[in-house]
Amino acid sequence: MYVEQIGTGPPEVAVVGAIHGDEPSGAHAVEELLAADLDPAGSVTLVLANETALERGVRYVETDLNRAFPPRGTDPTAFEFDDTHEGRLAERLYDLLSDKLTLAIHSTQSHPEPFAVVVEPDTRRLEVCAALPVTAVVDSTEPSEGRMLEAVPTVEVEVGHQGSAAAARNAVELSRAFLAATGAVSAPTTTTEKPLYRLDRPIPKPADREYEVVVDNFEVVPAGEPFASVDGEPWSAETPFVPVLVSAEGYEDMFGYAATRVGSVTAEGVVDYD
Ligand SMILES: [Zn+2]
């Protein structure tokens, strides 16, 4: 794990890339910030989380780092981190980031536009979301599965398609907007209202078949309307839903998540429920 603190004083914010080694955009953004000769108001911690996986171009070495943290609702002081490469990284990240507002950079196989993901968001994280160049905010308080954003105060961003040049550009833009929004670096910010979605449930995927997804994420799928095909057969849900992080091959056992539009995050960083 590579960690560098720039500026002076106690670090209040952090930017983390390479939580998944096959998502190079976050590492690119961290490297750009390291090379940018920033002069932060306080100090900023920059992290390349899983350098080994990044070098190998794989999601993880032994276990998914973004499932190795204390799950939401559990006592983190009683949690035993895995004795694996990623378990040890999770423990170091937990110790390093628990007292900092962190931007965690990810990319997807599902959606080209950047969006933010938060768990039990407080005012400060909602204010950051309002100031980021994202098209949507997703409240992912469920499911509880040991992701980093359940254990440390995090705004996660999905910056675009894994490995794309657009995702790399978005990652740099989002990390600079994050530093401006938190006041770590003095720069103008633009706050706008964003649609807020709540993740409801995983959409299961049968094992060992051929898959295709035929809908766009963040667009409502009516009940009974095919959203995918499995071995060429249409695949639908009994209730309407908004697909989020839905792709053919992004996850082993699910297509992604079913979500509901619940309101908006206003320009002031307040939730305005429908
Ligand atoms: Zn990721």
Side-chain angles (χ1 to χ4, degrees):
M1 189 162 92
Y2 180 87
V3 180
E4 184 150 329
Q5 188 183 327
I6 52 172
T8 52
E12 293 183 351
V13 300
V15 178
V16 181
I19 291 166
H20 291 131
D22 59 351
E23 300 172 7
S25 51
H28 172 70
V30 168
E31 282 158 5
E32 290 282 305
L33 292 178
L34 285 167
D37 205 18
L38 296 174
D39 183 18
S43 71
V44 174
T45 300
L46 300 172
V47 182
L48 294 175
N50 198 342
E51 287 182 289
T52 309
L54 183 67
E55 279 159 21
R56 296 182 192 175
V58 295
R59 186 170 175 87
Y60 53 79
V61 176
E62 287 187 272
T63 185
D64 190 336
L65 175 54
N66 210 28
R67 299 291 183 275
F69 287 83
R72 187 183 61 79
T74 63
D75 173 8
T77 59
F79 182 75
E80 290 215 22
F81 288 87
D82 275 5
D83 185 22
T84 58
H85 176 65
E86 279 81 11
R88 290 184 285 275
L89 290 179
E91 187 163 17
R92 286 180 64 192
L93 286 167
Y94 181 77
D95 290 342
L96 180 69
L97 302 175
S98 288
D99 59 350
K100 301 175 186 71
L101 180 57
T102 297
L103 182 76
I105 304 172
H106 289 266
S107 47
T108 72
Q109 297 192 17
S110 59
H111 195 60
E113 304 283 343
F115 60 96
V117 185
V118 285
V119 162
E120 296 178 321
D122 55 10
T123 306
R124 190 159 183 232
R125 274 175 287 159
L126 290 170
E127 282 170 354
V128 166
C129 289
L132 291 179
V134 293
T135 54
V137 179
V138 175
D139 179 339
S140 178
T141 298
E142 296 291 338
S144 173
E145 49 188 23
R147 298 161 297 163
M148 191 175 102
L149 82 173
E150 297 169 41
V152 301
T154 303
V155 174
E156 185 179 289
V157 283
E158 298 284 356
V159 299
H161 284 301
Q162 269 171 256
S164 69
R169 279 195 306 273
N170 292 341
V172 173
E173 191 188 347
L174 282 155
S175 51
R176 286 192 167 274
F178 172 77
L179 295 181
T182 55
V185 166
S186 94
T189 59
T190 309
T191 59
T192 56
E193 186 166 304
K194 314 275 170 23
L196 176 68
Y197 297 87
R198 183 194 64 221
L199 288 196
D200 291 327
R201 57 187 165 80
I203 305 170
K205 189 171 90 170
D208 301 323
R209 314 268 198 95
E210 296 281 326
Y211 317 101
E212 192 185 351
V213 166
V214 298
V215 293
D216 289 325
N217 280 274
F218 295 104
E219 291 187 13
V220 178
V221 178
E225 184 133 317
F227 63 89
S229 70
V230 175
D231 281 348
E233 295 294 319
W235 210 254
S236 60
E238 285 172 17
T239 50
F241 70 99
V242 176
V244 172
L245 289 162
V246 166
S247 65
E249 303 292 349
Y251 304 94
E252 227 159 79
D253 54 359
M254 63 176 182
F255 283 106
Y257 297 94
T260 309
R261 170 86 191 257
V262 290
S264 304
V265 176
T266 70
E268 291 73 38
V270 177
V271 175
D272 185 5
Y273 285 101
D274 287 344

